[in-house]
Amino acid sequence: MNHPLAFVIAVAHIAAVIALLNGILTVFGQAKVASQAIESIARQPEAADSIRSTMFIAFALCETSGIYGLLIAIIILFANPLINTLINFLG
Amino acid sequence: MDLNIKNLWVINIGGVEVWITETIFNTWIIMLLLIVIAVIARIKMRSFDEIPKGFQNLAEAAVEIFDKFARDTVGEKLSYIAPWFFMVFAYILTSSLLSVAGLRAPTADWATTFALSLVTFVLMIAMGLRHRKGEYLKSFFSPHPIFFPLNLLGELAKPISLSFRLFGNMLSGTILLTLYYALTPIFVQIGIPSLLHGVFDVAFGALQTYIFVIISLMYIRGAAD
């Protein structure tokens, strides 16, 4: 921790992990969709095709928040604007 | 290990620098591929018979399946936009299959996916104005004029969420495979990556293509119906 940049990079990695934690809730949402879809396919096997396509759309919509977290983590790790600010500040 | 999009050439057109990046070059490869397939299909169309077989069977099945899918999703009235989305489907699927060949997928660049979803956004507004006219504009002020900023934000979020979904999926696959190739010794780089390519490029690529097209069609139906 002698150099401020080392501290900033360490904090950035921790922040990326926190941004990825929303995957937990995303997976819970998707699990609910999948369990309901399996239940309705078991109840009405003749409607399986339309239920399956609806399930994939619902998966994609649930996945959006997880993708946002992933992109935030990628931005923090690879394209962090604050590191340039810090380098300019340190001179 | 390099995760950035490489810049191949810089062309100077009248004092304006135009950067030809890897994305643009790979898009040209896909365009060439699709145009060649289209020209072959057009030439072969002259000798099409009443009873399809071989190539004709494949081409007719592709068009018919997509037409039926679009008609089921978007309704009979709007089914004339199906050809555009067939093109989008072919383009996104080919671009995610391109990364199997070791080239960077153009959809792993936000510019590409945002351009595609911006077309969906413009189509959505145009279809809403064409089929519902004033009623579409009135839907921004429902249920009460006080909700106008909220409705506007909801509409503006659509192309962004649509583009980020595809971009995030393709970029995560690209990053994982780049990391795998950079961090593992050379003897596990033969054969085993095909499994990863199968999951991240072929399976996720096909699923995300389907989802991009079906959600675009649902947005357009929501605006126009």
Side-chain angles (χ1 to χ4, degrees), chain B residues 147-162:
Chain B
F147 284 94
F148 174 67
L150 219 58
N151 285 335
L152 195 67
L153 270 181
E155 291 295 305
L156 290 179
K158 278 175 181 176
I160 295 179
S161 80
L162 196 62

Side-chain angles (χ1 to χ4, degrees), chain B residues 160-208:
Chain B
I160 295 179
S161 80
L162 196 62
S163 63
F164 270 147
R165 190 176 298 123
L166 182 59
F167 167 63
N169 271 287
M170 291 294 118
L171 184 71
S172 61
T174 307
I175 287 178
L176 273 170
L177 283 164
T178 316
L179 279 177
Y180 182 83
Y181 281 124
L183 298 180
T184 50
I186 195 84
F187 60 88
V188 287
Q189 290 187 9
I190 306 155
I192 298 169
S194 65
L195 195 74
L196 292 170
H197 276 297
V199 172
F200 289 109
D201 296 335
V202 181
F204 282 11
L207 188 65
Q208 290 305 318

Side-chain angles (χ1 to χ4, degrees), chain A residues 3-5 83-91:
Chain A
H3 200 280
L5 204 57
I83 285 182
N84 283 332
T85 316
L86 184 80
I87 290 169
N88 289 337
F89 177 71
L90 293 175

